[in-house]
């Protein structure tokens, strides 16, 4: 849904290309094997990703969401006039005869298209999938053109702010669950924002431009933002100062109350509606025990065109130590209410209010990978439990019979694809791959009707009866 | 890897559009919401898919494979000259300035590109992902242009036939595990095929054309294939008859022995190499206990250009009852050895022999969905365990506090997004969605410091202390 996710920084661009590549292998980039801005995900990266995605999806399921999948490409016309300035970043397919197609830019517009297409009136769904944006790698360093999004949305006409509060609860559960450190969720409302601009005296034609200036607060100082508004966007200085009074405000529910009393804002109908909803939202967030994680922030604008009500964005708060590493993380989750999007598809006026969120998993992957790198944690990329080895020549047949039994019993097992591997090579492979158990068969064992079961860590070996092999391994594995 | 997967039949084209769509909703196709040949996957379909994919991936992991991911699009030049006649089905991206890109056509070529790019010498990997083929929906009815593939491949220089045998073992494990009914895996070798054509007197320039005729055996009779060879492809009738003697042969290891003695075939060096490998393969398959599932079939040709050695294809054997339903399933898994593909990318001659397989999951999804439809089995699309309800007005706050506790304890819970829903509506929702437990809170319960826990199935209610809520629910859930 939101325009983040493709924003890894230099720190993890290098991480991906060096640390998590198959060790010792260098990417020969100059041969141009691969499209700019895309990348393969190594087995190490896939392990990290799958763990994080399991956790995110687990939370979506805990909240009763159904999974949906939509195609990678949509009819081009379905994506037009949905993304404002960002439309230029949409990938089009070549016209090879037939329809004009585009790769999806997010998961929100396809979801809205689905609701319109099948005239669905209510649905709580999640979707995990890749999206594509034609960012220029030379302009925005380190951005990827293909990245993963995890979206949760609630579509339907409901009593106000209950689904919205649940979305914020989900963001809190996921960010807490992933143990990414302290975080804060900024909340605002498009109606408050518009009302604020109106009462400050911004002409409606400049709303969009001024919003995008406001959106820079946090990255640049108020003085710089003010300068941009006045010098570049032609705003009267006194109008800019009025805006400044507002957008530097952030706080909890007390700020909502304060704004209700504000002499200018309280004159604007739209703003009052937004404030009313925010007040109700804070009531629910308090019941959910997460109000202290939420900050009403009048500077939050969000880029996408389709938001109509509450908007939010989660940021990680850096500890001083992290700040020193200059590992800037920014927004890790975001979303908002978009009540008009579904109606844009329906020629027959099928309208469905929606609210949702998107988890910026690419950033989260980067943070977790960075943390693993720092801690020197080794990642197992296979789950193999048992290795089948022999110290003798001409034992391939016995090894194959044995491993087949293990596979059939559901035990994860490997052997070397060699007729006569050396025992040391086999044991070394186990250590290297983190395989905990080795089954050893040789002439002596064959004669005695036993096999040896060896613990790779302790190097202890026990002889067990051949016919008890599977049971003994299962017992050993369940105990460890 | 192989060119199947996109071949659902009329039977399940209608299944997808009618049965598994959100019930009662009709797809308004004439408005053209979606690209031809693509489709959304409903929550019901996603549940079936995820179960099947879990099983397939479980098998890949049991065999020690690592997961890899590659981008949806590749540089166009990476895909050229890899797919023979099928190259016309590749989707190209529009030239929006920069590189020429194409959507991936399978997962095999990107894997080979990965091995070449990072100079990987050995790797056992699996990949699950979508691929895209620009099939004409009017020509090939019911084919999809976007579909999922599940590939397992072993790259590296190893002793002969050990990895090849493991690939066949994996196919057997998956097809048995999914309980799709009886199946057979046809095996042949590209070298035997080429040798056979050579000794029959087919000019080398006609190998490809004659192979594609042979590939039709099973779909059409030998007489029709013979006619095509002679009348359309200009083969001498006696050459066609010689081919006929071979391609109508299929059997076990005894057929391999027979071919070794064949007066013509035994004169061809290539064929002898292939036969030697097949003999060894059958030795290993016997040790794996799957030899009776494998049939040496001289008519198996496989379309793709990149195969160099053993090739195989699994087909489901229909019971007479199934045949009556005219639910033709065809190939459900396939693969083979491709020792030359990686070398095609490397300007510096990085060569890696590979063997692998692809599971035709789209067909398997269709079969399982069809079976569920026939059996009338209901699919739950959410995993919600507990519903939070109230019989009274103005109890939203209590419900929100309560559900928040459940979520925080990891319990999957839902409520209706209404201030004052009717109790009957709430209970009806639970029955409809298959939610097993309801927590009920009202004035009486609030006063007494209890809540009611209701079983949806039995309609029994017990009062439990408010503070024991989570523990009692967890106990009840673990017992059921």
């Amino acid at each position: 849904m939101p325009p983040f996710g493709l924003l890894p920084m230099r720190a993890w661009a290098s991480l991906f290309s060096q640390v998590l590549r198959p060790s010792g292998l260098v990417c020969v980039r100059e041969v141009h094997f691969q499209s700019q801005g895309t990348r393969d995900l190594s087995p190490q990266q896939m392990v990290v990703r799958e763990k994080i995605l399991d956790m995110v999806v687990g939370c979506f399921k805990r909240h009763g969401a159904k999974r949906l999948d939509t195609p990678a490409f949509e009819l081009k016309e379905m994506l037009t006039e949905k993304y404002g300035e960002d439309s230029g970043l949409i990938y089009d397919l070549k016209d090879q005869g037939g329809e004009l197609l585009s790769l999806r830019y997010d998961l929100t517009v396809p979801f809205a298209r689905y609701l319109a297409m099948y005239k669905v009136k209510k649905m709580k769904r999640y979707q995990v999938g890749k999206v594509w944006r034609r960012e220029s790698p030379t302009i925005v360093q380190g951005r990827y053109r293909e990245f993963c999004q995890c979206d949760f949305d609630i579509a339907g006409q409901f009593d106000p702010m209950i689904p919205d509060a649940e979305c914020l609860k989900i963001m809190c559960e996921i960010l807490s669950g992933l143990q990414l450190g302290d975080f804060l969720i900024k909340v605002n409302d498009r109606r408050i924002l518009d009302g604020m601009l109106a009462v400050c005296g911004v002409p409606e034609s400049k709303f969009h431009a001024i919003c995008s200036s406001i959106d820079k607060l946090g990255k640049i100082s108020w003085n710089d933002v003010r300068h941009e508004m006045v010098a570049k966007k032609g705003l009267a200085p006194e109008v800019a100062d009025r805006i400044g009074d507002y957008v530097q405000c952030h706080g909890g529910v007390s700020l909502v109350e304060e704004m209700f009393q504000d002499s200018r804002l309280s004159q604007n109908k739209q703003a009052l509606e937004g404030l009313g909803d925010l007040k109700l939202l804070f009531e629910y967030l308090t019941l959910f025990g997460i109000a202290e994680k939420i900050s009403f922030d009048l500077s939050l604008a969000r880029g996408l065109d389709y938001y109509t009500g509450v908007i939010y964005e989660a940021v990680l708060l850096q500890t001083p130590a992290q700040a020193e590493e200059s590992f800037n993380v920014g927004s890790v989750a975001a979303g908002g209410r978009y009540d008009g999007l579904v109606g844009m598809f329906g020629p027959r006026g099928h309208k469905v209010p929606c609210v949702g969120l998107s988890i910026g998993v690419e950033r989260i992957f980067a943070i977790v990978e960075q943390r693993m790198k720092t801690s020197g944690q080794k990642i197992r990329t296979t789950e193999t439990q048992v290795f089948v080895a022999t110290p003798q020549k001409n034992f391939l047949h016995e090894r194959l019979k044995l491993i087949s039994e293990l596979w059939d019993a559901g035990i994860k097992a490997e052997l070397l694809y060699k007729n006569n591997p050396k025992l040391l090579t086999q044991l070394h492979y186990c250590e290297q791959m983190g395989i905990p158990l080795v089954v050893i068969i040789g002439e002596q064992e064959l004669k005695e009707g036993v096999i040896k079961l060896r613990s790779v860590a302790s190097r202890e070996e026990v002889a067990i009866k051949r016919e008890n092999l599977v049971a003994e391994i299962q017992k050993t594995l369940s105990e460890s």
Side-chain angles (χ1 to χ4, degrees), chain A:
Chain A
M1 169 186 301
F4 56 30
L6 33 103
L7 312 149
M9 304 101 253
R10 243 162 289 185
W12 62 292
S14 73
L15 182 77
F16 281 125
S17 59
Q18 289 162 27
V19 180
L20 289 161
R21 286 299 172 199
S23 63
L25 300 166
V26 181
C27 158
V28 205
R29 200 72 189 197
E30 71 274 18
V31 191
H32 288 301
F33 279 103
Q34 203 168 27
S35 163
Q36 275 195 305
T38 69
R39 62 190 162 147
D40 302 306
L41 296 171
S42 71
Q44 286 91 335
Q45 288 173 311
M46 288 306 287
V47 170
V48 174
R49 271 170 188 249
E50 282 186 79
K51 273 191 193 153
I52 292 169
L53 291 180
D54 280 353
M55 196 273 166
V56 170
V57 166
C59 179
F60 293 163
K61 285 184 176 173
R62 192 157 64 239
H63 287 263
K66 304 172 178 187
R67 183 161 195 174
L68 182 72
D69 189 50
T70 63
F73 47 76
E74 298 275 339
L75 291 174
K76 185 176 163 60
E77 63 194 273
M78 292 294 130
L79 304 190
T80 47
E81 287 172 32
K82 309 291 189 304
Y83 299 108
E85 285 177 4
D86 290 346
S87 296
L89 303 182
I90 294 173
Y91 272 105
D92 292 330
L93 269 67
K94 189 173 161 182
D95 183 0
Q96 291 168 291
E99 308 152 322
L100 294 180
L101 305 169
S102 299
L103 293 184
R104 66 186 175 203
Y105 181 86
D106 65 8
L107 302 177
T108 309
V109 170
F111 175 53
R113 190 264 308 144
Y114 177 89
L115 297 175
M117 179 168 166
Y118 297 103
K119 299 198 176 301
V120 179
K121 290 214 175 80
K122 58 173 94 167
M123 183 174 198
K124 187 153 56 171
R125 85 89 178 75
Y126 73 95
Q127 186 168 354
V128 176
K130 286 180 178 179
V131 300
W132 296 271
R133 297 182 187 181
R134 222 168 50 82
E135 303 274 357
S136 170
T138 51
I139 291 171
V140 189
Q141 191 154 24
R143 287 203 186 183
Y144 287 107
R145 293 173 159 196
E146 171 180 83
F147 58 96
C148 178
Q149 287 205 328
C150 296
D151 280 24
F152 172 100
D153 292 82
I154 300 171
Q157 185 70 58
F158 301 112
D159 282 333
M161 292 299 113
I162 313 176
D164 313 60
E166 185 168 1
C167 287
L168 290 166
K169 175 79 172 108
I170 287 172
M171 276 167 58
C172 285
E173 285 179 26
I174 289 172
L175 295 178
S176 306
L178 290 172
Q179 297 179 300
L180 299 171
D182 207 9
F183 63 90
L184 188 75
I185 304 177
K186 297 179 191 173
V187 173
N188 198 3
D189 191 295
R190 271 281 165 103
R191 293 164 295 174
I192 299 174
L193 202 64
D194 286 354
M196 184 263 286
L197 295 178
V199 300
C200 287
V202 179
E204 219 177 311
S205 61
K206 287 190 176 164
F207 275 19
H208 198 89
I210 297 305
C211 266
S212 85
S213 295
I214 292 173
D215 212 31
K216 291 177 187 162
L217 262 176
K219 284 163 219 143
I220 59 176
S221 72
W222 166 245
N223 277 340
D224 292 342
V225 171
R226 186 185 180 283
H227 177 76
E228 185 179 296
M229 287 176 172
V230 176
K232 290 192 189 162
K233 300 189 173 167
L235 213 61
E238 65 276 15
V239 174
D241 288 334
R242 265 178 243 143
I243 294 174
D245 291 342
Y246 287 112
V247 296
Q248 293 179 85
C249 293
H250 42 86
V253 68
S254 61
L255 180 62
V256 181
E257 297 292 356
E258 208 178 293
M259 288 298 141
F260 261 122
Q261 309 305 325
D262 183 84
S263 60
R264 279 191 298 251
L265 216 49
S266 60
Q267 303 303 311
N268 184 285
K269 192 170 164 276
Q270 264 203 302
L272 284 179
E273 277 177 22
L275 287 168
D277 275 352
L278 272 200
K279 193 180 161 188
L280 191 57
L281 181 67
F282 266 103
E283 208 176 298
Y284 299 157
L285 298 177
T286 304
L287 295 165
F288 284 162
I290 56 167
E292 81 284 358
K293 292 283 182 197
I294 317 293
S295 167
F296 174 33
D297 189 324
L298 281 140
S299 74
L300 180 70
R302 310 253 341 111
L304 296 171
D305 273 8
Y306 49 64
Y307 291 117
T308 54
V310 174
I311 47 178
Y312 31 81
E313 186 173 290
V315 290
L316 297 186
L317 301 173
Q318 297 187 319
T319 61
Q322 288 169 323
E324 259 173 49
E325 289 176 27
S326 76
F327 187 68
N328 183 18
V329 284
S331 158
V332 287
R337 178 161 282 282
Y338 50 103
D339 288 348
L341 189 58
V342 178
M344 287 176 75
F345 295 98
R348 296 170 208 179
H350 179 70
K351 279 175 193 150
V352 185
C354 295
V355 64
L357 64 100
S358 186
I359 303 294
V361 280
E362 297 288 344
R363 288 198 169 176
I364 293 170
F365 298 151
I367 294 163
V368 174
E369 283 167 355
Q370 172 78 5
R371 192 194 293 160
M372 284 176 154
K373 185 195 162 192
T374 309
S375 72
Q377 202 180 328
K378 216 186 156 184
I379 304 167
R380 270 198 82 183
T381 53
T382 61
E383 297 176 10
T384 308
Q385 298 163 316
V386 181
F387 187 88
V388 176
T390 184
Q392 267 138 350
K393 287 198 171 180
N394 302 318
F395 259 74
L396 178 61
H397 280 206
E398 287 305 322
R399 282 155 63 215
L400 291 179
K401 263 198 289 187
L402 229 157
I403 200 165
S404 184
E405 262 180 64
L406 299 182
W407 286 332
D408 291 342
I411 295 165
K412 296 167 186 157
E414 280 186 85
L415 49 65
L416 292 192
Y417 302 126
K418 288 194 115 188
N419 291 320
N420 300 309
K422 285 181 186 148
L423 184 61
L424 209 62
T425 312
Q426 297 171 79
L427 296 179
H428 181 68
Y429 181 82
C430 295
E431 281 178 13
Q432 195 190 344
M433 298 300 290
I435 301 171
L437 290 177
V438 189
V439 160
I440 302 174
I441 183 140
E443 260 174 57
Q444 191 63 26
E445 287 81 17
L446 200 62
K447 241 182 254 167
E448 294 171 8
V450 299
I451 58 109
K452 269 193 218 146
L453 191 58
R454 178 187 170 110
S455 156
V456 175
S458 70
R459 300 185 179 189
E460 278 173 58
E461 290 182 0
V462 286
I464 53 179
K465 278 191 188 163
R466 180 70 174 77
E467 63 265 33
N468 297 342
L469 174 65
V470 165
E472 287 287 339
I473 288 175
Q474 281 166 339
K475 199 171 143 246
T476 310
L477 289 172
S478 70
E479 284 163 359
S480 65

